[in-house]
Amino acid sequence: MVERGSGRIQVDVVLCTFNGARFLAAQLESIERQARQPDRVRVFDDGSTDGTLAILARFKSRLLLDVSVNASRLGASQNFSRALARADADVVFLCDQDDVWRPDKVACQLALLDGGPRGLLACSDARLIDAEGALLAGSLLARLGASAAARWDSGALQAALLKRNLITGATCAVRRDLLSLALPVPAGVWHDEWLALVAASCDGIVWADHPLIDYRLHGGNAAGIDQVGTAATFAALGSDARAFQRAKAVKLAQLAGVLRSSSGRVVPDRLAMVEAAAEHWRTRAGRPAWGQGRLRAVIAELRAGRYARFGAGWRSALNDLR
């Protein structure tokens, strides 16, 4: 259960802002229309220089806003990471400044998290809208390449997340239990990806069966969704393959360490999967620079099936031979 004792579940919205005046009012109005109101909206502004703070002041009494302004610029991911570390409610909703919530978002995700002992992170698909609020074709999960199996089969979801992130923080609500397990977010890792990896390893991700936000695409999004999956991986590899592979290995080794220290919540075969993925990326990053040694290393990973499980199969193997 998500509540403390027999009291009311405390719900905070954590909203990170930076020069968001163009769309912020629409987001705040959508929170104001929630069927189940949050108890507090905690805003962490990253040094806005437009009208963001004035808009927040207008809504302060209407939504019980608690506004903090960073002394120096952190960037979107680190701002969210620090904000989550300061959250203390039973359930925390992550909120971007430029989206629009459906009126049942808070109520629906609270029900999902209260539906069983393992639910740690509730997420949903999202409709796509443009800068003017007009609907676009497809959905957020479709753009990210998420299959039905990845959504509804928890083992398939973890396997997919080990390849690339499919879960967008703006769609998520998290239990305090997950924050206690997952924080702090490692430097250089997106907060939503990290939370999703930890939750999936605990079989703790639950899904709404319908979109709960309108995700706005306007050309200035902090994290884009145009390049995903294999395309994004190869773009990264093209810039510096070994640096990308080393970063993946380090991130997954950090994840394995967190999971080992929280073994009471972690599904054992999920930890084994993370450890295997970390070893795969460590092997790829450390492969010999050229010659027969490199060929043997690539063939060994192919035979072990790890290129298929954690990469793009033969395409990744051929890339490592170049």
Side-chain angles (χ1 to χ4, degrees):
M1 304 292 285
V2 295
E3 54 190 307
R4 295 180 180 134
S6 58
R8 172 182 164 90
I9 298 169
Q10 291 298 115
V11 175
D12 277 1
V13 172
V14 167
L15 167 61
C16 289
T17 59
F18 176 69
N19 288 347
R22 183 180 179 189
F23 304 115
L24 180 58
Q27 175 66 289
L28 293 172
E29 287 165 357
S30 75
I31 297 173
E32 195 174 29
R33 290 193 296 269
Q34 290 299 298
R36 199 296 197 181
Q37 282 287 296
D39 297 288
R40 179 174 53 174
V41 179
R42 302 192 66 177
V43 182
F44 296 83
D45 184 79
D46 208 17
S48 293
T49 56
D50 64 352
T52 293
L53 295 178
I55 293 170
L56 292 171
R58 292 208 318 263
F59 281 84
K60 190 168 185 177
S61 61
R62 291 159 61 177
L63 281 172
L64 297 177
L65 294 186
D66 176 8
V67 180
S68 300
V69 179
N70 297 334
S72 59
R73 180 92 195 279
L74 298 177
S77 183
Q78 286 305 304
N79 193 21
F80 261 112
S81 298
R82 193 173 84 159
L84 291 170
R86 295 169 63 180
D88 58 2
D90 300 297
V91 175
V92 177
F93 284 74
L94 283 66
C95 184
D96 287 352
Q97 65 186 3
D98 44 11
D99 301 323
V100 177
W101 286 10
R102 312 307 296 170
D104 62 337
K105 175 175 165 61
V106 171
C108 178
Q109 293 191 305
L110 281 180
L112 285 171
L113 290 174
D114 210 25
R118 297 204 68 88
L120 294 173
L121 183 153
C123 54
S124 75
D125 200 353
R127 302 192 309 177
L128 301 177
I129 59 173
D130 66 12
E132 307 308 318
L135 280 175
L136 299 172
S139 73
L140 180 60
L141 286 175
R143 287 281 190 103
L144 293 173
S147 67
R151 289 184 64 185
W152 303 113
D153 180 287
S154 59
L157 176 59
Q158 190 209 26
L161 290 172
L162 287 171
K163 292 185 178 183
R164 66 194 188 279
N165 188 34
L166 300 173
I167 292 178
T168 303
T171 72
C172 294
V174 299
R175 284 176 53 172
R176 164 119 294 281
D177 293 3
L178 177 60
L179 299 180
S180 298
L181 286 172
L183 297 180
V185 178
V189 180
W190 279 92
H191 60 286
D192 48 6
E193 177 187 20
W194 184 253
L195 293 174
L197 284 168
V198 175
S201 300
C202 300
D203 195 15
I205 297 179
V206 289
W207 290 88
D209 60 5
H210 62 287
L212 291 175
I213 75 168
D214 289 346
Y215 185 89
R216 194 186 303 271
L217 297 176
H218 52 81
N221 301 78
I225 62 170
D226 291 331
Q227 273 202 316
V228 297
T230 301
T233 298
F234 274 86
L237 288 176
S239 59
D240 188 340
R242 289 184 189 273
F244 175 80
Q245 292 161 350
R246 282 193 297 270
K248 287 277 287 189
V250 168
K251 175 173 64 180
L252 293 172
Q254 291 172 315
L255 176 62
V258 168
L259 299 179
R260 281 192 292 268
S261 68
S262 309
S263 57
R265 292 299 305 265
V266 178
V267 179
D269 65 348
R270 305 293 170 82
L271 173 56
M273 181 76 80
V274 171
E275 291 173 331
E279 178 60 26
H280 170 70
W281 287 100
R282 190 159 46 242
T283 298
R284 292 180 67 181
R287 68 192 183 280
W290 53 270
Q292 293 297 313
R294 174 184 287 202
L295 179 61
R296 284 194 294 269
V298 170
I299 289 174
E301 285 297 295
L302 277 170
R303 287 176 172 169
R306 295 198 294 208
Y307 275 111
R309 291 167 70 193
F310 307 121
W314 277 99
R315 293 181 67 185
S316 295
L318 290 173
N319 192 77
D320 284 353
L321 289 172
R322 291 192 303 184

